[in-house]
Amino acid sequence: MKKLIEFKNIVKGFDDTIVLKGINLTIHENEFVTLLGPSGCGKTTLLRILGGFIEQNNGEVYFDGIEISKLPPYKREINTVFQRYALFPHMNVYDNIAFGLRIKKTSEEIIKQKVEKMLRLVGLVGFEKRAVTLLSGGQQQRVAIARALVNEPMVLLLDEPLGALDLKLRKEMQIELKKIQKEVGITFIYVTHDQEEALTMSDKIVVMNEGEIQQIGTPTDIYNEPENRFVADFIGESNILEGIMHDDYVVSFDGITFDCVDYGFHDNEDVDIVIRPEDIDIVSVEQGKIHGQVISSLFKGVHFEVFVKSAHREWMIHTTDPVVINDQVGLSFYPEDIHVMSKLGAY
Amino acid sequence: MKLYRSFVQPYLFWMGVFIVVPMLLILFYAFTTSGNNIISFRFTLDNFIRFGEPIFLRVLLRSLSIALTTTIISILIGYPVAYLISQSNERMQTLLILLITIPMWINMLVRTYAWIGILSENGLINSFLAWLGLPTLNLMYTDFAVILGMVYNFLPFMILSIYTVLAKLDKALIQASYDLGANKFQTFTKIILPLSVPGIISGITLVFLPAVSTFVIPKFLGGGNYVLIGNLIETQFITVGQWNFGSAISMIMASVIMLSMFITKRFDQDIEEIQSRKEVG
Ligand SMILES: Nc1ncnc2c1ncn2[C@@H]1O[C@H](COP(=O)(O)OP(=O)(O)OP(=O)(O)O)[C@@H](O)[C@H]1O
Ligand SMILES: [Mg+2]
């Protein structure tokens, strides 16, 4: 895939707080990239720099090989679906979608064809003359997407487009958005602070925290191989503990030494370790290296969420087998389920 | 609830005394002949018929045209000013709005009087012209002076009501317009201007109504022979003592004002309707 966008060492501050602390990121053609991070970490700011609404204090943005920092928004082949849609309240659905084309002086006949195609794509045929202020959240959302896509941009920026929708509608729209992206075959840059949303939709996830990129990778990479404690914690519930890396492939925590698959750390380096709840098996006391007492078990629909109290900590375990509260049990996991992360944290 | 409602009662009482009763009296006077007392009176439409005389109709027409001119000038000056204020940073906005509001704290009479000092024969402007060796101008007691006085007095209402709408305008809409390829000018004509129409409409109401009914400004800046409808009413009550005719003119004025409010309101709704129903293609 061809490189389309490159952020090089982007720094941005407002007043005296630095919001982006040197972002380096490459985005390819046709990629579905998600910026994931807690509220206030700088996701919208990064998008706004790409859209051309604000300028970085430092660093460069390349689009198709050309530095675009000085280009005004209306000259960029990028369209945005705004965090709160920003539909024009004085125009109906049709006129909202037609806005960009009319600016480009497209003939009304072609506009009509294109708008109708978009309405079919987002499932709003027959809504042409509706006032946008009278549409439901999900419908407004679709109009905003159609209004941006009708201009056939090379990149679509979506800033938490599903944030205002209820859970069910959100799931539906997630699938639909992914489908739309495949159909139109352009790059989507998607912002969310919902890790599940990021995992289901993206080709590539960029995890951010406090203006810094923590990790870039595919959803499976990010989930299975978090690079630091923050990522591990942010992506799904986890057991995160501290340990010591004695040697390549040998780690110890809670006073016990384990085999693992990680290497390349200093001898006796202090490390963070993550073990996903679904990777832990509950076994008999004799079979487990770690043992403890079951203190709670909660049925979660597909699995049980079990907490086991060992000598050093409480473990969270996801299992499909029911357990008995107050039983003594052993815990077991494979070497590849122990993910060792550097404490330095930085990406 | 009951308790609160009882607090409202004195308010309702005084409102009745000071607003409703005088209005009823005006209504009563307008439809009766002079020299009545409460016990014996005669109804008549003569007061209204008298207003049909060309001399009075001309006054009405003149009042409307002066008020209209004032309103149009206020929009032409007020819109750009309001727009520029809304574009400046927050601290500057507060300051500028304060600067516009402060003169309104001073009595209109005083401010209008000040203009006499500026415009009169030996006033500021003419002294300056004389000092430059230029011929002096006859500024006082003209339409120009009256309109100037009105624009000066009522412009802040126009600015404030347009500014209020512009300041509330969602910045994301403007960004969305840029995002979709519109430049600054297109964004202004297609997004900002249409969305600020409600501000212009309420500005029109706030400027046109006082402009059509004021009697202080034409009296001071237009001189004794300069008669607008407000002056006419004032003279009928205070100088001539024809309360009945004065009341009838007041009634007519009130109707004109209500009609113009109705029209602007309709206009506002029509725009909204056109916008939400615009034909496809
Ligand atoms: N125009 C601005 N002036 C001052 N500070 C700003 C401005 N825009 C953003 N910030 C600050 O920059 C930080 C990052 O904001 P940003 O909107 O990028 O966060 P975000 O990651 O999009 O968060 P959210 O998930 O809540 O939308 C925040 O602390 C915010 O207060
Ligand atoms: Mg944001």
Side-chain angles (χ1 to χ4, degrees):
Chain A
M1 274 192 297
K2 212 178 111 202
K3 267 189 201 171
L4 189 59
I5 294 163
E6 243 182 310
F7 291 103
K8 282 205 176 145
N9 196 30
I10 299 294
V11 176
K12 175 72 191 172
F14 290 108
D15 305 324
D16 34 63
T17 50
I18 297 182
V19 172
L20 296 176
K21 302 170 185 167
I23 299 288
N24 288 295
L25 176 62
T26 304
I27 293 166
H28 297 94
E29 268 182 349
N30 296 355
E31 247 182 344
F32 196 119
V33 179
T34 300
L35 305 181
L36 176 66
S39 188
C41 74
K43 306 179 297 286
T44 300
T45 306
L46 191 60
L47 272 203
R48 281 157 58 85
I49 288 172
L50 183 57
F53 301 112
I54 51 174
E55 206 184 311
Q56 68 275 18
N57 303 120
N58 224 323
E60 295 110 52
V61 187
Y62 291 92
F63 188 90
D64 224 358
I66 299 162
E67 221 286 319
I68 56 164
S69 296
K70 295 284 176 231
L71 222 56
Y74 56 87
K75 289 192 181 155
R76 301 186 182 199
E77 277 184 85
I78 296 172
N79 285 113
T80 309
V81 176
F82 288 85
Q83 201 158 3
R84 277 169 298 115
Y85 317 144
L87 298 178
F88 304 129
H90 58 302
M91 296 180 190
N92 63 24
V93 170
Y94 185 96
D95 292 331
N96 261 281
I97 299 175
F99 187 86
L101 297 174
R102 287 197 175 130
I103 293 288
K104 288 189 203 108
K105 305 265 187 293
T106 315
S107 79
E108 285 294 328
E109 193 143 337
I110 292 172
I111 291 179
K112 195 163 187 268
Q113 288 170 11
K114 288 193 171 178
V115 172
E116 270 165 15
K117 191 174 143 222
M118 277 303 136
L119 286 169
R120 274 199 300 278
L121 185 71
V122 298
L124 281 180
V125 176
F127 283 71
E128 288 86 345
K129 292 182 192 175
R130 291 279 191 94
V132 289
T133 43
L134 301 178
L135 298 179
S136 72
Q139 290 165 341
Q140 291 190 12
Q141 175 58 61
R142 288 156 205 255
V143 176
I145 291 165
R147 185 179 70 173
L149 280 179
V150 79
N151 302 291
E152 296 164 11
M154 290 172 76
V155 180
L156 187 68
L157 310 182
L158 302 103
D159 193 350
E160 289 189 48
L162 309 182
L165 307 182
D166 65 59
L167 192 65
K168 187 166 170 290
L169 194 55
R170 207 148 101 193
K171 298 262 183 233
E172 281 173 27
M173 286 298 293
Q174 284 173 9
I175 295 166
E176 211 157 321
L177 268 178
K178 187 72 196 168
K179 203 183 89 199
I180 290 172
Q181 191 249 345
K182 288 230 173 83
E183 255 175 69
V184 293
I186 60 169
T187 306
F188 273 38
I189 303 180
Y190 191 94
V191 166
T192 183
H193 52 233
D194 179 343
Q195 41 92 13
E196 203 182 316
E197 194 165 285
L199 290 172
T200 40
M201 298 172 79
S202 325
D203 297 323
K204 184 191 224 167
I205 296 177
V206 179
V207 184
M208 290 175 65
N209 188 32
E210 293 180 353
E212 284 176 308
I213 292 181
Q214 301 294 318
Q215 186 170 358
I216 301 176
T218 63
T220 40
D221 280 350
I222 299 268
Y223 189 80
N224 292 331
E225 306 288 341
E227 281 181 23
N228 60 42
R229 196 183 181 102
F230 174 83
V231 177
D233 199 25
F234 198 74
I235 305 280
E237 298 151 311
S238 247
N239 300 290
I240 301 176
L241 25 139
E242 295 183 333
I244 296 167
M245 198 73 186
H246 290 294
D247 202 348
D248 283 354
Y249 314 114
V250 183
V251 66
S252 78
F253 54 85
D254 292 1
I256 308 167
T257 304
F258 295 86
D259 290 339
C260 69
V261 295
D262 295 280
Y263 58 92
F265 293 86
H266 300 296
D267 284 352
N268 294 326
E269 182 177 336
D270 286 333
V271 290
D272 283 322
I273 293 153
V274 58
I275 304 175
R276 295 281 174 203
E278 62 273 21
D279 290 337
I280 302 176
D281 290 322
I282 293 179
V283 293
S284 65
V285 176
E286 304 80 55
Q287 281 175 300
K289 268 195 163 175
I290 293 172
H291 35 88
Q293 188 180 27
V294 176
I295 53 172
S296 74
S297 172
L298 203 62
F299 186 55
K300 288 278 189 160
V302 180
H303 62 263
F304 293 91
E305 185 177 280
V306 178
F307 282 92
V308 171
K309 190 167 173 48
S310 72
H312 292 84
R313 67 190 69 252
E314 272 178 27
W315 294 85
M316 181 200 269
I317 300 137
H318 290 172
T319 171
T320 46
D321 304 320
V323 290
V324 180
I325 295 191
N326 292 334
D327 265 11
Q328 289 292 328
V329 294
L331 302 179
S332 137
F333 30 79
Y334 295 104
E336 64 266 29
D337 295 329
I338 301 172
H339 305 297
V340 181
M341 309 172 298
S342 164
K343 267 213 185 266
L344 297 172
Y347 171 64
Chain B
M1 234 4 240
K2 265 236 168 83
L3 184 74
Y4 288 124
R5 209 168 291 165
S6 64
F7 282 134
V8 174
Q9 277 163 6
Y11 178 71
L12 286 178
F13 173 75
W14 289 112
M15 215 165 77
V17 170
F18 287 119
I19 297 175
V20 180
V21 172
M23 296 236 284
L24 288 176
L25 281 176
I26 286 177
L27 192 69
F28 171 78
Y29 274 115
F31 286 99
T32 53
T33 56
S34 58
N36 283 298
N37 55 44
I38 289 290
I39 308 145
S40 70
F41 51 81
R42 274 189 310 123
F43 280 111
T44 179
L45 289 174
D46 285 351
N47 298 321
F48 291 92
I49 293 165
R50 192 173 157 209
F51 193 77
E53 287 171 24
I55 177 168
F56 298 122
L57 285 181
R58 228 173 290 140
V59 172
L60 178 67
L61 222 61
R62 188 179 195 185
S63 298
L64 291 175
S65 92
I66 294 274
L68 201 67
T69 314
T70 303
T71 310
I72 290 168
I73 294 173
S74 297
I75 295 173
L76 294 180
I77 300 174
Y79 198 100
V81 172
Y83 182 75
L84 289 177
I85 295 175
S86 75
Q87 294 295 302
S88 54
N89 67 41
E90 224 156 287
R91 219 172 293 160
M92 196 67 182
Q93 285 188 26
T94 322
L95 183 74
L96 290 172
I97 289 301
L98 193 69
L99 278 180
I100 287 170
T101 324
I102 285 173
M104 294 164 82
W105 299 347
I106 299 163
N107 190 301
M108 180 171 140
L109 225 66
V110 179
R111 282 179 294 142
T112 308
Y113 218 84
W115 274 107
I116 299 179
I118 297 170
L119 299 176
S120 69
E121 230 172 308
N122 341 319
L124 215 59
I125 293 177
N126 279 327
S127 309
F128 184 66
L129 289 175
W131 182 72
L132 288 176
L134 295 168
T136 57
L137 297 170
N138 197 5
L139 296 168
M140 277 299 283
Y141 311 130
T142 57
D143 283 349
F144 169 78
V146 174
I147 291 171
L148 181 73
M150 287 195 184
V151 170
Y152 168 74
N153 271 297
F154 306 133
L155 181 63
F157 297 115
M158 183 64 81
I159 296 176
L160 290 178
S161 72
I162 294 173
Y163 165 79
T164 314
V165 173
L166 287 177
K168 272 194 311 206
L169 203 74
D170 188 355
K171 297 279 176 296
L173 296 179
I174 294 163
Q175 287 187 2
S177 168
Y178 291 154
D179 185 81
L180 293 165
N183 59 28
K184 281 202 150 180
F185 179 73
Q186 289 165 321
T187 301
F188 179 78
T189 55
K190 285 171 191 284
I191 308 295
I192 300 173
L193 188 60
L195 288 175
S196 52
V197 167
I200 301 175
I201 300 274
S202 74
I204 289 175
T205 323
L206 289 174
V207 171
F208 184 78
L209 297 190
V212 86
S213 54
T214 177
F215 59 89
V216 175
I217 296 168
K219 194 169 168 180
F220 281 16
L221 301 174
N225 299 324
Y226 198 98
V227 180
L228 294 185
I229 200 98
N231 307 90
L232 195 62
I233 297 170
E234 191 210 5
T235 342
Q236 293 306 318
F237 276 98
I238 295 178
T239 321
V240 191
Q242 293 206 358
W243 287 37
N244 304 83
F245 186 45
S247 298
I249 306 173
S250 300
M251 295 287 301
I252 290 166
M253 258 329 283
S255 319
V256 168
I257 287 173
M258 273 196 278
L259 189 72
S260 62
M261 272 171 69
F262 179 73
I263 292 170
T264 40
K265 198 147 201 179
R266 267 314 283 268
F267 182 66
D268 203 13
Q269 281 168 353
D270 280 354
I271 286 181
E272 265 167 38
E273 234 156 82
I274 289 165
Q275 279 164 353
S276 62
R277 268 205 225 156
K278 209 184 264 169
E279 285 301 307
V280 176

